[in-house]
Amino acid sequence: MQPDLTMRNGESVPAHLVPVLDFESLRTFLVGEVRGGGRLAALFGLPGLPGAGGAVRVLAVVARDGAGILRPVVSEVGDRYPALTPDIPQAHLFERELSEQFGVIPVGHPRLKPVRYHTPGTFNPAAPAAPRPLPADTDFFRVEGDEVHEVAVGPIHAGVIEPGHFRFQCHGETVFHLEIALGFQHRGIEAALEGGLVGPLAAGGQGFGRIPHFIATAAGDTTIGHTLAWCRIMESLSGTTVPERAGLFRLIALELERLANHTGDLGALAGDVAYLPTMSFCGRLRGDFLNMTALLCGNRFGRGLVVPGGVAFDADAARLAELRGRFESTFRDVEGAADLLFETPSVRARFEHTGEISRDTATALGLVGPAARACGIARDVRVDHPFGAYRRLAARAASWPSGDVYARAFVRRQEIRESARLIRAAIDALVALDALPQGDIRQGEPDSWPRPLAPESLAVSLVEGWRGEICHVALTDAQGGVVRYKMIDPSFHNWEGLAMALRGRAISDFPLCNKSFNLSYCGHDL
Amino acid sequence: MLRAALERLSQKRRTVAFPDGAPNLPDRLRGLPVIDAAKCPAACLAAPACAAACPMGAMRPGLGVGGTPLIDLGKCLYCTDCMAACPTGAITFGRDYRLAVRKREHLHFRGEALRLAEALEKRTRKLFGRSLKLRQVSAGGCNACEADLNVLTTIVFDLGRFGIDFVASPRHADGLMITGPVPENMREALRKCYDATPDPKIVIASGACAISGGPFAGLPESHDGADAVVPVDLYIPGCPPHPITALDGMLRLLGRI
């Protein structure tokens, strides 16, 4: 029987409607979906059902980007099961995570290693005890040969950047293989969220306690993106509609976050090829975008701006005018800085054909965000699964086919322009709305939150953050308590893309390739 | 080349006047919290709503001026939950960006003047006063603190004009700038980095996580801040600290403010 439950982005459904398949049917279903243009947005473990013999279950959410639908399915896996990865490469890290969190063995997984190097099996009381290695203390894939050498970098890097460990197998300058070991940033967010909405961590504050702070710091440069995904889960499960005014502010905040980071990335890419004018300009301009977020809420990263039910800060006509004025002047300078970068032949020569990945590789690995769009795959949650104000102010997905550093830079450049268009449209719409009474920025009084959540339900929320698709999934129990909260940062999908981009390249290209992806360590490690 | 020069002219000089001039801060900046004791009814002081609302447990009733709650600025995330919970509007977050101190207990803010960071001792100040090279270590930092330290090296803040610089190796460094709550998986790496930095050295903890563990305080994977692993000479509160707050702290440490 074909599972027939489909969901939309931000929808919640009664958990009993989610099709339960035996494992081989799950495999057949997933292989068919992936072959037919579907993509694994999420695949993670659930504790076994209460009662005797409750085996670990796995929940998969397939995203059909073209059709704008999501298809969740559940299956039992038991202690061991035949791995999906050989048939579905994009399941590789999900299965490693499942194995690490629940102590189950995906038999036949080509590279079964921990992901975050926490105590194995923490999510499954029945998991067998196993030793906890430190990241980078485990074996690495090795290339053997007289002239092959290994280069190890990290966890602490040369710049002001988060920790990770990179192991290169090289022949002379040429990289045969790069393996990336992360986990140094693991703070245990997912475990803390388990049951957190009714637990002691939820005490105090606006009733959510520390939870908004865990979400906001999952990846600090994506504060708005992750907070928005979480808020939409809370709204979906409590049946809350967000006021139109709040939706427009959310769009502005998310696009400002994208602009700040894309602008910073263009500057950093310029710096990595020693083109200093654009580096200097963009370093300043990135901060100007952060200051626009601070104009709205007082914090440069948008902490506390997006809240369940809407936003916490309003802006009157004068503030909107100030925002618009600053935005136009900053955007003009970004255009100038980007023009210089892309018109300089020595820059193009370094960007073009560096760190290429093919469209096939990107599809197989399930890359998301600018990294995927730079391989000609125009997937963008704002377009494929539109949410909030994006339903009204339709976004357009950027793309470029060449799959190299140039493409990843150029896609950002296109997206900067698109973000500018959306922000202008949103400010226009807000000004037009201004006739409405002020203060309609949050559904209900602040003390009406947290609201009761629908019991035994599944909610899925996708948001296009600046790095790509952010996916949050929540499952509630009979009392409406959150029993499993899964958050997937775009970096989780994309780190392997960086490893593939280095294949056959000179090791000296690594900094440039790395910057062209600019992935999150803490978003991956959680 | 000509276009780059024209663009440079068009984008103008952008370095802030700080510390010689006042910093340009957002009007909604959440700086030093202020409690107006006159607005606190006695019944509320006994069981303050603000302290109960703080998700971090950063407020301790009765220990501040006039029986107001003490605020631990090292735990505070400047999230304004306390402000929202206050029935009389007694608590606000001011625009005072000066928050950095030398000792952890100086962050226990009672409502009196904050004991801002004093300059380094004479000998270390002689060594570092005109050239301070720092190694930044992110130990579980969420990349917000890191990003707002990185921004200090841009033309806007131009850290280099004070002789302060971030360097690539602990061997080249006079000290460490630590962010993040120090998760278990980074503890050893941080320790090794500290040991690899030649003496004498200083350590700066930037952000709520590096000071107290921030939101991760008490979680099994967290060591609740840098001073669990290494001695700290300067604490810069915030989530994340505004770049001006961090710069102000560093300049105070070097006796430049």
Side-chain angles (χ1 to χ4, degrees):
Chain A
M1 187 194 80
Q2 263 292 347
D4 52 2
L5 179 68
T6 62
M7 302 170 71
R8 296 268 171 188
N9 180 14
E11 213 178 3
S12 50
V13 293
H16 69 87
L17 293 183
V18 178
V20 181
L21 308 178
D22 64 72
F23 193 76
E24 278 316 302
S25 307
L26 177 88
R27 178 194 309 275
T28 311
F29 169 70
L30 292 180
V31 167
E33 284 290 296
V34 168
R35 203 168 283 159
R39 186 171 55 78
L40 272 183
L43 179 82
F44 58 94
L46 302 173
L49 293 170
V56 171
R57 293 166 300 153
V58 60
L59 174 75
V61 179
V62 173
R64 284 288 199 133
D65 296 325
I69 56 169
L70 302 165
R71 307 186 74 176
V73 282
V74 168
S75 177
E76 281 198 356
V77 288
D79 301 339
R80 305 166 71 82
Y81 72 95
L84 295 166
T85 302
D87 296 323
I88 309 168
Q90 58 188 275
H92 72 109
L93 202 56
F94 287 122
E95 291 201 295
R96 281 170 59 176
E97 181 193 50
L98 173 70
S99 177
E100 183 176 30
Q101 291 185 338
F102 286 83
V104 301
I105 311 285
V107 179
H109 190 290
R111 205 191 297 157
L112 191 58
K113 296 174 64 169
V115 179
R116 304 191 175 99
Y117 297 85
H118 54 65
T119 308
T122 38
F123 285 65
N124 179 13
R132 171 182 181 166
L134 273 176
D137 272 357
T138 48
D139 289 339
F140 284 82
F141 179 83
R142 283 188 86 129
V143 178
E144 298 292 345
D146 287 345
E147 295 182 2
V148 175
H149 65 277
E150 189 177 70
V151 179
V153 182
I156 301 179
H157 303 294
V160 182
I161 186 174
E162 297 173 72
H165 181 83
F166 299 84
R167 199 69 76 93
F168 300 87
Q169 310 293 318
C170 295
H171 181 254
E173 272 279 288
T174 308
V175 178
F176 283 158
H177 182 76
L178 162 62
E179 188 171 341
I180 301 169
L182 301 174
F184 297 95
Q185 296 282 73
H186 178 61
R187 296 154 294 169
I189 293 182
E190 234 180 74
L193 289 173
E194 216 82 335
L197 273 175
V198 289
L201 287 170
Q206 300 182 15
F208 288 108
R210 287 202 219 172
I211 289 162
H213 303 292
F214 290 141
I215 307 286
T217 55
D221 50 28
T222 316
T223 294
I224 298 289
H226 274 289
T227 305
L228 191 48
W230 171 72
C231 288
R232 292 180 61 245
I233 291 267
M234 291 299 116
E235 288 148 12
S236 173
L237 286 170
S238 62
T240 304
T241 326
V242 174
E244 194 174 358
R245 190 173 177 81
L248 291 165
F249 277 119
R250 287 177 167 193
L251 180 142
I252 291 174
L254 189 64
E255 296 306 325
L256 282 177
E257 186 168 87
R258 191 181 326 278
L259 281 168
N261 286 295
H262 279 6
T263 304
D265 283 351
L266 287 186
L269 282 164
D272 271 348
V273 299
Y275 188 66
L276 300 186
T278 300
M279 185 191 86
S280 300
F281 295 143
C282 287
R284 186 262 298 187
L285 294 162
R286 175 181 167 281
D288 285 353
F289 286 123
L290 296 179
N291 286 338
M292 288 176 219
T293 303
L295 174 70
L296 293 176
C297 72
N299 183 293
R300 282 157 58 90
F301 295 85
R303 298 275 155 89
L305 173 55
V306 179
V307 291
V311 291
F313 295 84
D314 204 349
D316 57 14
R319 194 173 291 270
L320 286 175
E322 166 78 12
L323 175 66
R324 167 150 242 166
R326 285 207 218 169
F327 176 79
E328 292 302 341
S329 120
T330 302
F331 180 67
R332 195 226 69 84
D333 287 353
V334 171
E335 286 280 83
D339 281 347
L340 283 181
L341 183 71
F342 286 96
E343 286 169 13
T344 302
S346 61
V347 169
R348 293 186 64 130
R350 279 293 283 124
F351 282 8
E352 286 173 357
H353 306 296
T354 302
E356 284 168 306
I357 22 180
S358 69
R359 190 191 167 107
D360 287 349
T361 302
T363 307
L365 290 175
L367 299 192
V368 295
R373 294 193 282 275
C375 298
I377 306 167
R379 71 173 55 127
D380 185 323
V381 177
R382 296 174 298 169
V383 178
D384 298 320
H385 309 272
F387 53 94
Y390 294 101
R391 292 206 189 97
R392 203 173 109 183
L393 312 174
R396 295 184 290 242
S399 85
W400 196 252
S402 56
D404 49 6
V405 171
Y406 179 83
R408 289 186 284 278
F410 191 62
V411 161
R412 285 181 171 89
R413 202 263 156 91
Q414 291 174 288
E415 290 182 15
I416 286 171
R417 289 189 170 153
E418 178 64 3
S419 294
R421 189 183 70 81
L422 290 166
I423 286 180
R424 286 176 179 138
I427 295 177
D428 286 345
L430 276 172
V431 172
L433 277 182
D434 235 5
L436 289 176
Q438 290 267 322
D440 193 19
I441 53 164
R442 189 174 190 187
Q443 166 62 236
E445 293 300 311
D447 59 9
S448 73
W449 293 92
R451 299 178 172 187
L453 305 181
E456 295 189 326
S457 296
L458 170 78
V460 183
S461 165
L462 305 180
V463 166
E464 186 74 18
W466 65 275
R467 282 195 185 91
E469 178 183 284
I470 296 163
C471 175
H472 286 206
V473 185
L475 203 63
T476 56
D477 62 11
Q479 287 75 45
V482 175
V483 283
R484 184 85 167 101
Y485 196 91
K486 183 77 204 157
M487 46 203 303
I488 300 157
D489 189 84
S491 304
F492 193 83
H493 299 283
N494 284 4
W495 274 109
E496 196 63 20
L498 170 62
M500 292 305 291
L502 255 287
R503 286 228 169 142
R505 298 298 312 178
I507 190 168
S508 49
D509 280 342
F510 176 68
L512 183 60
C513 291
N514 188 25
K515 189 48 77 181
S516 75
F517 281 86
N518 192 11
L519 301 174
S520 174
Y521 298 77
C522 56
H524 172 280
D525 295 345
L526 293 178
Chain B
M1 191 65 209
L2 181 64
R3 285 216 41 189
L6 289 173
E7 189 61 36
R8 167 68 186 79
L9 282 176
S10 141
Q11 299 217 4
K12 303 192 190 75
R13 183 178 191 276
R14 296 289 184 161
T15 307
V16 294
F18 186 83
D20 299 328
N24 184 14
L25 296 165
D27 64 335
R28 286 176 171 174
L29 179 87
R30 303 171 217 156
L32 186 70
V34 184
I35 303 180
D36 182 355
K39 287 189 186 166
C40 296
C44 198
L45 286 176
C50 52
C54 178
M56 301 310 305
M59 300 176 85
R60 288 193 257 153
L63 296 178
V65 172
T68 56
L70 172 154
I71 306 176
D72 185 345
L73 299 177
K75 284 185 178 174
C76 179
L77 302 178
Y78 302 81
C79 72
T80 71
D81 279 3
C82 52
M83 211 168 108
C86 177
T88 61
I91 183 163
T92 49
F93 282 78
R95 291 184 67 218
D96 192 348
Y97 59 89
R98 297 167 302 167
L99 298 169
V101 301
R102 290 293 304 276
K103 297 217 179 310
R104 180 68 182 87
E105 59 268 24
H106 295 170
L107 290 172
H108 295 162
F109 179 56
R110 296 168 199 278
E112 297 156 334
L114 200 59
R115 190 167 161 191
L116 295 171
E118 294 112 23
L120 286 167
E121 297 64 32
K122 202 172 168 198
R123 181 169 163 267
T124 29
R125 193 171 151 194
K126 199 172 171 213
L127 283 170
F128 300 147
R130 287 159 49 124
S131 166
L132 178 65
K133 304 297 169 197
L134 294 171
R135 183 77 181 79
Q136 205 277 322
V137 181
S138 170
C142 75
N143 208 24
C145 280
E146 290 78 358
D148 260 357
L149 290 175
N150 228 343
V151 86
L152 292 176
T153 64
T154 65
I155 52 169
V156 179
F157 301 95
D158 192 15
L159 202 55
R161 71 193 150 124
F162 306 107
I164 311 172
D165 214 351
F166 291 111
V167 293
S169 164
R171 302 278 189 211
H172 304 157
D174 303 313
L176 302 183
M177 169 73 92
I178 300 170
T179 52
V182 190
E184 170 59 17
N185 287 351
M186 268 306 282
R187 188 178 49 83
E188 193 186 333
L190 174 59
R191 183 80 224 174
K192 283 183 176 172
C193 191
Y194 178 79
D195 290 343
T197 310
D199 284 319
K201 54 194 160 192
I202 60 166
V203 173
I204 304 174
S206 186
C209 285
I211 297 173
S212 67
F216 309 102
L219 293 194
E221 295 286 337
S222 164
H223 289 281
D224 296 354
D227 57 13
V229 184
V230 294
V232 174
D233 300 283
L234 180 70
Y235 296 88
I236 307 174
C239 184
H242 193 280
I244 288 285
T245 302
L247 184 56
D248 173 73
M250 284 194 269
L251 294 180
R252 282 176 194 280
L253 190 69
L254 297 181
R256 308 278 283 262
I257 293 184

